[in-house]
Structure formats: C-alpha cells, structure tokens
Amino acid sequence: MAFTEDLSVYFALKSAGGFADAATVGATTVNVIFDAAYLRALDIVSTTNPVALAQASDSAAAVGATIVIDSTSYTIRNREPHDDGAIVLLQLEKQ
C-alpha cells in the first residue's frame, strides 16, 4: 500500500491559513512556500539564496522558467526532489 499525503494544507495560501504564496509561471499560478534565505560565510561574504518548495505535480515550475513571487521575478535554476519526491525544492536566482 502506497502512502499518499494531502499537501493541500501546506500549499494553501497564507490568507487561507496555509504556508504558501501565489506564484506565477507564465500563465499558470502555482502555490509555493518561498524563502529568501540570507547566507553569511565567515563574516566575509553575505548573499541571499532564494528557494521555494512546490508540489512536484506543478510541472509549470520547470528549470529555466521565470517565476514571479510577490512582484519579484526569479529564474528557476534547479529543481530537486525533496524527501519522498512529492515536493520539489526550486533553487531561484533573482532577475
């Protein structure tokens, strides 16, 4: 028997009690959990490493695509399976 999780609770919009932000990829809207992580290495270099979690079934979020989150455009640089593969981690680069 395969385990199937209901991800709709996590990927519900923040305004509806979830954790997600609406993002636009082309003409498609997908819900993502966005993190504009701030990195600091040895107190010498600091940068941001924006990432987003998306449902793997949201195929619009493909490598090379432009994704707009909160009026900021990013390019999806990498798409990595997360845990059991139902979720993907999108590595983003601000345009």
Side-chain angles (χ1 to χ4, degrees), residues 5 9 14-15 19 25 31-32 34-35 50 53 64 66-67 69:
E5 56 265 322
V9 174
K14 291 177 183 173
S15 60
F19 302 101
V25 182
N31 292 353
V32 298
F34 178 70
D35 183 11
L53 292 173
T66 296
I67 186 168
I69 304 169

Side-chain angles (χ1 to χ4, degrees), residues 7 11 20-21 23 25 28-33 53-63 65 67 76 79 85-88 90:
L7 299 175
F11 286 96
D21 295 299
V25 182
T28 304
T29 300
V30 296
N31 292 353
V32 298
I33 300 172
L53 292 173
Q55 294 185 68
S57 59
D58 287 332
S59 59
V63 173
I67 186 168
I76 300 172
R79 180 182 164 112
I87 297 173
V88 291
L90 305 174

Side-chain angles (χ1 to χ4, degrees), residues 3-94:
F3 176 74
T4 57
E5 56 265 322
D6 180 10
L7 299 175
S8 64
V9 174
Y10 301 105
F11 286 96
L13 294 175
K14 291 177 183 173
S15 60
F19 302 101
D21 295 299
T24 305
V25 182
T28 304
T29 300
V30 296
N31 292 353
V32 298
I33 300 172
F34 178 70
D35 183 11
Y38 177 77
L39 299 175
R40 187 176 193 129
L42 303 173
D43 291 330
I44 298 171
V45 177
S46 60
T47 187
T48 58
N49 181 40
V51 296
L53 292 173
Q55 294 185 68
S57 59
D58 287 332
S59 59
V63 173
T66 296
I67 186 168
V68 180
I69 304 169
D70 197 24
S71 301
T72 302
S73 296
Y74 301 90
T75 300
I76 300 172
R77 290 293 172 206
N78 199 9
R79 180 182 164 112
E80 305 166 10
H82 190 66
D83 293 332
D84 67 353
I87 297 173
V88 291
L89 176 70
L90 305 174
Q91 295 283 344
L92 308 175
E93 180 180 341
K94 190 173 180 180

